[in-house]
Amino acid sequence: MSKSTTQAFSASPSTTELTAYMGGPCVVRESRTVDLAQGSVSLVLGGLPAQLLPGTHTIVSIEGVGKSKLRNITHRQANLNLQSVLRASIGKKITVAEGIFDDADTMHGELMCVLDGNRLVLKTNGDECTIVPFTTNVGFPEGFPEGLSSTPSVAMNLEVTEAGAYQLKSLYESEGVSWNPWYEIFFDSKAGKLSRFACYVALSNQSGTDFKDAGFKLIGSYNQSQSKGRMRAFSAAPAMASLEMAGGGLESADAPTSESVGEHKLYVLPEPISIANGETVNSILVLAADVPVKQEYHLHGGYYVDARGVSEAELPKVPVNVTLRLQNTADNKLGVALPPGEFRVLEADSAGQLQKTDTVHLRERVSPNESFKLDMTTPARDLKGVRVLLASQEDPHHTQELRKKATEDKTELPHRFREEDREVTLFNYGDKPMSVCVHESFHDGTEIKWASYPEHGVWNMDDTGARCIMTVPATTSDKPGRASFRYVARWQVE
């Protein structure tokens, strides 16, 4: 670097804003006020994350009293260690103490060089030099060397037309900052509502630096920039400091706003956040009360057990699955973009205490005014089903003679069919009638020859099967409520 180049140093930004992704590096935008001399200037930016990705730093703008021209940008790795300090102190006065406290023998002199990394050469009296063992008890009476940092730094070589204050805006990418959305719902099945619907943001910082009063924006996708490694996984609980109690309910601070950026949904957290390296901070993305929910029961298609010679008590029962359906609309207390995430389901017991009863997942992003569902992993407690095969018959296999004759005559073999007489029975062990959607899966080209339409059901055919809405009466004092559905299906097997 030429002698006419002026050195300038910015220890930290005046404002910081981050865009965090659900995986991959974050994007950091900084603003700094720097005093620059006229002419050639080497500006070093400090206070950068330890996991800054080299080659991602760019200047957005430089505005000030004059104009500036960028020549190049150099990325410097963190270099604050004892060896670097000693190398930067060659030619300066140092003190070396052997021993500790009052028993220490102290030597003073000019550091000439470091030998093999473990011995120091000191000029003590005149031209006399002494080799002393390297110790960690080293003092620097002329001050600590400049230009060393525990975090990476960026050096910008500029040509400045006029000395004065300049506003520098830049951005870069850094690993170690990501966010993870997760939900909790207080499910009131009797009232048909979610007394709480909450989406929390767990914001994790493993970047190697602290961010103070930083603005955060969140994108619900992955940043595909090349990175050194995967983001570490973490779990979190809601930070109650970010919530306010009001009227016995729960209210959040100002709600985040959202907007679309390209094909991505961007969430803007309403207040700056200070997050130290190694911390996970939780914030609220969505908080709603009394959200209407429709609870559905489904018996999905499955295997039919041959019931011939088997008593009903011995037949295996299959579970009935539960689905919660919601409308993401303002009328239903929602109407905001929802990122994919895990749901913690809580329900009250007889004493009113909340108990965790399930964990479900929202697999895809939900747009405003879009309906969505949550498939519970725990089946219905009072509903069960039985699928039995009452009878079956299949056309006999073609004989070798028949196959040979068809080949000689160049004719097609006649089709072979299979026919099954099936019955589905639902049992209700609860004290209220329940409606269940029974799903049947069919082979291609299946023909329903006969069906006993349930008394309170509807038989709906489509290309892949059929659905039947059945009402199962409540249990009585001596037996469970039950409803059955029977049909005969025929399809080609050859």
Side-chain angles (χ1 to χ4, degrees), residues 249-262:
L250 193 61
E251 295 183 357
S252 67
D254 293 339
T257 58
S258 64
E259 61 182 83
S260 295
V261 179

Side-chain angles (χ1 to χ4, degrees), residues 73 88 92 257 328 342 351 429 466:
I73 298 178
K92 298 180 180 179
T257 58
N328 187 18
E342 182 179 283
Y429 299 91

Side-chain angles (χ1 to χ4, degrees), residues 242-244 251-257 268-272 283-287:
S242 64
L243 309 176
E244 297 177 357
E251 295 183 357
S252 67
D254 293 339
T257 58
V268 182
L269 299 188
E271 298 179 355
S283 184
I284 295 178
L285 195 64
V286 179
L287 183 60

Side-chain angles (χ1 to χ4, degrees), residues 200-491:
Y200 302 103
V201 172
L203 188 62
S204 176
N205 178 17
Q206 306 290 342
S207 68
T209 193
D210 301 339
F211 295 102
K212 183 178 181 181
D213 294 331
F216 274 90
K217 297 182 178 182
L218 313 173
I219 287 184
S221 61
Y222 290 81
N223 183 357
Q224 302 297 331
S225 291
Q226 294 296 320
S227 55
K228 298 177 182 178
R230 294 284 185 183
M231 307 298 295
R232 70 180 64 184
F234 61 91
S235 60
M240 301 310 293
S242 64
L243 309 176
E244 297 177 357
M245 299 301 296
L250 193 61
E251 295 183 357
S252 67
D254 293 339
T257 58
S258 64
E259 61 182 83
S260 295
V261 179
E263 296 300 323
H264 301 284
K265 185 62 65 176
L266 176 75
Y267 303 92
V268 182
L269 299 188
E271 298 179 355
I273 293 176
S274 294
I275 180 169
N277 180 54
E279 284 187 345
T280 297
V281 173
N282 292 267
S283 184
I284 295 178
L285 195 64
V286 179
L287 183 60
D290 299 332
V291 177
V293 62
K294 181 181 179 182
Q295 189 172 4
E296 295 179 350
Y297 298 96
H298 295 265
L299 180 69
H300 293 286
Y303 176 73
Y304 279 81
V305 178
D306 193 334
R308 288 168 288 192
V310 181
S311 66
E312 183 176 273
E314 295 175 318
L315 293 173
K317 292 183 173 65
V318 294
V320 173
N321 299 109
V322 182
T323 295
L324 303 183
R325 292 197 179 272
L326 299 95
Q327 297 287 334
N328 187 18
T329 63
D331 290 342
N332 286 350
K333 314 297 179 64
L334 295 175
V336 295
L338 301 175
E342 182 179 283
F343 277 73
R344 178 173 66 176
V345 182
L346 301 170
E347 297 182 71
D349 59 21
S350 60
Q353 301 296 315
L354 289 172
Q355 306 293 343
K356 182 178 179 181
T357 57
D358 214 332
T359 299
V360 297
H361 293 84
L362 183 63
R363 304 293 182 183
E364 303 291 340
R365 184 183 73 189
V366 180
S367 300
N369 301 315
E370 181 182 1
S371 61
F372 65 102
K373 67 174 183 175
L374 300 175
D375 292 321
M376 311 292 275
T377 59
T378 302
R381 61 182 180 270
D382 293 329
L383 290 170
K384 294 181 180 179
V386 171
R387 277 191 163 89
V388 295
L389 181 63
L390 299 176
S392 66
Q393 64 179 18
E394 186 173 318
D395 294 338
H397 291 277
H398 300 312
T399 63
Q400 291 294 335
E401 291 78 7
L402 183 61
R403 293 180 183 275
K404 182 178 178 181
K405 187 176 187 308
T407 302
E408 292 173 350
D409 297 343
K410 297 182 180 180
T411 59
E412 294 185 357
L413 289 168
H415 296 312
R416 294 178 54 246
F417 291 88
R418 178 175 176 83
E419 188 172 287
E420 290 185 354
D421 188 350
R422 301 172 173 178
E423 184 177 59
V424 179
T425 301
L426 290 169
F427 296 93
N428 181 6
Y429 299 91
D431 57 1
K432 293 182 179 180
M434 306 294 286
S435 293
V436 180
C437 181
V438 179
H439 299 256
E440 294 297 296
S441 299
F442 297 143
H443 295 83
D444 290 341
T446 296
E447 172 193 1
I448 303 301
K449 296 183 62 177
W450 173 86
S452 64
Y453 294 86
E455 183 179 355
H456 301 290
V458 178
W459 177 250
N460 295 314
M461 292 286 294
D462 57 32
D463 293 337
T464 60
R467 290 177 291 110
C468 176
I469 307 297
M470 298 179 63
T471 299
V472 190
T475 187
T476 62
S477 58
D478 58 342
K479 60 182 179 179
R482 63 184 293 163
S484 296
F485 174 72
R486 183 178 172 184
Y487 66 93
V488 176
R490 182 175 182 267
W491 67 94

Side-chain angles (χ1 to χ4, degrees), residues 13-59:
S14 53
T15 62
T16 305
E17 187 180 83
L18 296 88
T19 297
Y21 297 79
M22 296 175 70
C26 68
V27 175
V28 184
R29 291 172 295 278
E30 293 186 345
S31 178
R32 299 171 184 251
T33 301
V34 294
D35 289 324
L36 302 178
Q38 184 179 4
S40 180
V41 177
S42 176
L43 172 62
V44 176
L45 307 181
L48 301 176
Q51 297 197 60
L52 183 150
L53 292 182
T56 63
H57 208 290
T58 185
I59 294 178

